[in-house]
Amino acid sequence: MSQEIQDYNDSQSLEDQEICHLLYSIINKNLPNAESKIWHAHPVWFLDGNPIVGYSKLKDSVRLLFWSGQSFDEEKLQIEGSFKAAEMRYTQIDQINEEDLNRWLEKAKTIQWDYKNLVKRKGILIQLMTKPY
């Protein structure tokens, strides 16, 4: 774990630290070829420069965000924003269902919208043809 992400996780309350550490562990295990870093003040994983998944502390929960999650066809993930993102929010570590998270992360590898070039395309998202990771 990078020092930046470790510092982010450690800056949370004890309960939220547990959630962040477990999310980090599961994400990192499933996305071994991804780059992870602090981006816009929270941990995010990228494949070929495209943001895939990240988590952030909100006022009342820890939000797990999949940039292309609306395309996963997963009813537990909630729509977030006006693009293709979807989220899951956690207030306790026992709410994290590792089987669901593993499945979502597998989908995140192959179902991607091109957020990396969103500004260049003036806000137009296109779906990527992804390679196997």
Side-chain angles (χ1 to χ4, degrees):
M1 180 181 305
S2 74
Q3 189 60 52
E4 285 183 312
I5 294 176
Q6 181 72 52
D7 292 345
Y8 178 89
N9 291 350
D10 291 347
S11 71
Q12 310 307 320
S13 70
L14 289 178
E15 193 166 72
D16 290 339
Q17 280 183 40
E18 289 181 334
I19 294 169
C20 290
H21 285 299
L22 182 56
L23 289 174
Y24 176 88
S25 175
I26 295 169
I27 294 168
N28 228 39
K29 178 180 71 176
N30 281 275
L31 297 175
N33 298 320
E35 173 192 9
S36 61
K37 63 183 178 182
I38 297 294
W39 189 56
H40 296 289
H42 62 274
V44 176
W45 281 255
F46 298 80
L47 291 173
D48 295 328
N50 199 40
I52 302 302
V53 64
Y55 57 85
S56 59
K57 174 63 179 138
L58 303 177
K59 182 178 179 182
D60 61 348
S61 61
V62 174
R63 173 176 57 189
L64 176 67
L65 182 75
F66 290 93
W67 269 254
S68 300
Q70 288 182 33
S71 298
F72 294 0
D73 195 28
E74 292 281 344
E75 66 181 49
K76 289 184 182 178
L77 292 174
Q78 301 300 306
I79 292 172
E80 166 57 30
S82 58
F83 290 105
K84 299 291 182 183
E87 68 178 11
M88 185 72 178
R89 294 186 183 197
Y90 302 104
T91 57
Q92 298 175 333
I93 194 168
D94 63 0
Q95 295 171 331
I96 298 172
N97 180 314
E98 190 166 349
E99 184 178 314
D100 287 343
L101 185 48
N102 289 335
R103 185 177 62 255
W104 300 337
L105 289 163
E106 281 304 307
K107 289 182 178 187
K109 293 177 192 177
T110 58
I111 301 171
Q112 294 180 36
W113 290 82
D114 187 8
Y115 284 92
K116 179 173 79 172
N117 295 303
L118 185 62
V119 173
K120 185 169 101 177
R121 289 199 174 91
K122 299 180 180 9
I124 304 294
L125 268 180
I126 62 167
Q127 193 160 13
L128 294 174
M129 299 299 293
T130 59
K131 62 185 178 188
Y133 290 94

